Amino acid sequence: MAQGFPGLTGERAAGADDRAESRAVARVRGLTRRFGERTVLDGADLTIERGEFVALLGRSGSGKSTLLRALAGLDRETGGDLAVDGTVAVAFQEPRLVPWKKVRANVALGLRTSGGGASGTSGGGPRAAADKALAEVGLAERGDAWPLTLSGGEAQRASLARALVREPGLLLLDEPFSALDALTRITMHRLVLDLWERHRPGVLLVTHDVDEALLLADRVLVLDGGRIAHETRVRLPRPRPRDHPDLSGLRATLLARLGVTPEDAPQDAPQDVPGGPRADVPGETP
């Protein structure tokens, strides 16, 4: 992260920021975004290193998805400096599969570039690349299926395959697990970690789920007031037990930063069931 972030916890050694810059796959400085008279991002700074898994928390309407869309190149109405080194891929909350194309063809859509060519096709062409990506997410036998025949978990796996087929340097995940049932989310968490460890892209996961962020990420950020207001590093090895005492302390700190009091927080979920405390604020626009 850049020096001078307001509210960041912990001290960083001299030169740490320069080293992070040299390894950065994404760099944002002074990013602003306004919608009419409302300022959503107000000078946000962010660095994501290659191979780093970062989670972004914030109240509903805080600008998390706005920041992700800017990194994805989907919002050109921002101010400030933004640079991404390499290919970017996105998996959204909704799988967004094209219903009139079979699953393999949907995954192959991820290979298309703005210039009409293809990327990530080293060896075998788009079909082989799509089949390889489907096999990695456990859908090797579903390439000829229609999207409407997939379960929610299978559709989200296909969406991940479409993102990973591009061999991205930066993978953006916009609440991709929030619509899934609890058991499917557990499976998807394990799958995403396995894929991340295999391919090592930089990852930015936008989520409302504090426990999800702590279980998956190297670094958890809180977006507040249009800026990154807090950073927590999670130094525990994976897989991480939900009831680890170190996570309990980090969880309490993050909830406090999100304005959630102990009385507001739900009771701890069982260790193997995802869907812990969320950073939603009732009545606030998503």
Side-chain angles (χ1 to χ4, degrees):
M1 302 287 290
Q3 295 178 354
F5 278 16
L8 289 187
T9 60
E11 297 293 333
R12 303 200 63 174
D17 295 305
D18 292 337
R19 292 194 294 272
E21 290 291 330
S22 68
R23 299 190 298 264
V25 69
R27 179 184 180 278
V28 174
R29 292 293 178 270
L31 194 69
T32 60
R33 181 64 165 99
R34 296 179 177 84
F35 295 90
E37 296 182 355
R38 183 188 178 202
T39 299
V40 175
L41 297 177
D42 188 15
D45 296 328
L46 171 66
T47 299
I48 301 174
E49 297 180 20
R50 300 179 188 279
E52 183 183 27
F53 200 126
V54 178
L56 182 63
L57 294 167
R59 302 185 184 197
S60 293
S62 62
K64 301 183 302 298
S65 293
T66 301
L67 177 55
L68 180 142
R69 288 177 58 84
L71 285 167
L74 300 175
D75 187 347
R76 304 291 187 178
E77 301 299 319
T78 57
D81 296 324
L82 187 155
V84 176
D85 183 13
T87 303
V88 182
V90 189
F92 294 98
Q93 180 176 342
E94 307 84 12
R96 302 190 181 187
L97 302 178
V98 179
W100 57 86
K101 289 183 178 290
K102 293 186 176 180
V103 171
R104 180 184 295 106
N106 266 277
V107 173
L109 287 174
L111 294 169
R112 295 189 177 181
T113 64
S114 59
S119 61
T121 58
S122 54
R127 181 186 178 96
D131 283 340
K132 179 182 177 182
L134 286 169
E136 284 199 282
V137 300
L139 293 178
E141 306 300 322
R142 301 291 273 160
D144 290 322
W146 294 102
L148 292 178
T149 69
L150 301 181
S151 68
E154 287 176 330
Q156 200 58 264
R157 285 170 179 261
S159 176
L160 277 174
R162 184 176 56 194
L164 289 169
V165 76
R166 302 190 67 192
E167 301 174 5
L170 177 64
L171 177 62
L172 304 173
L173 304 175
D174 192 3
E175 298 196 67
F177 316 121
S178 60
L180 302 176
D181 65 83
L183 294 179
T184 303
R185 289 179 73 186
I186 292 172
T187 303
M188 291 300 295
H189 287 170
R190 292 171 180 165
L191 174 64
V192 165
L193 283 178
D194 179 63
L195 294 170
W196 169 71
E197 289 173 353
R198 196 178 306 164
H199 295 277
R200 302 301 293 186
V203 175
L204 179 65
L205 167 68
V206 167
T207 180
H208 280 101
D209 190 327
V210 173
D211 282 344
E212 181 173 86
L214 289 172
L215 291 174
L216 297 179
D218 300 309
R219 204 158 42 103
V220 182
L221 311 177
V222 175
L223 184 63
D224 187 37
R227 299 184 181 187
I228 304 299
H230 178 76
E231 171 186 318
T232 290
R233 289 192 175 272
V234 188
R235 304 186 187 278
L236 296 175
R238 301 177 180 89
R240 297 166 181 160
R242 182 180 298 273
D243 59 353
H244 194 286
D246 288 355
L247 291 186
S248 298
L250 295 175
R251 175 177 176 268
T253 299
L254 288 169
L255 288 173
R257 284 284 180 171
L258 292 162
V260 179
T261 66
E263 293 76 16
D264 295 331
Q267 295 297 316
D268 288 344
Q271 179 175 340
D272 293 332
V273 178
R278 292 169 61 87
D280 302 74
V281 176
E284 192 171 343
T285 304

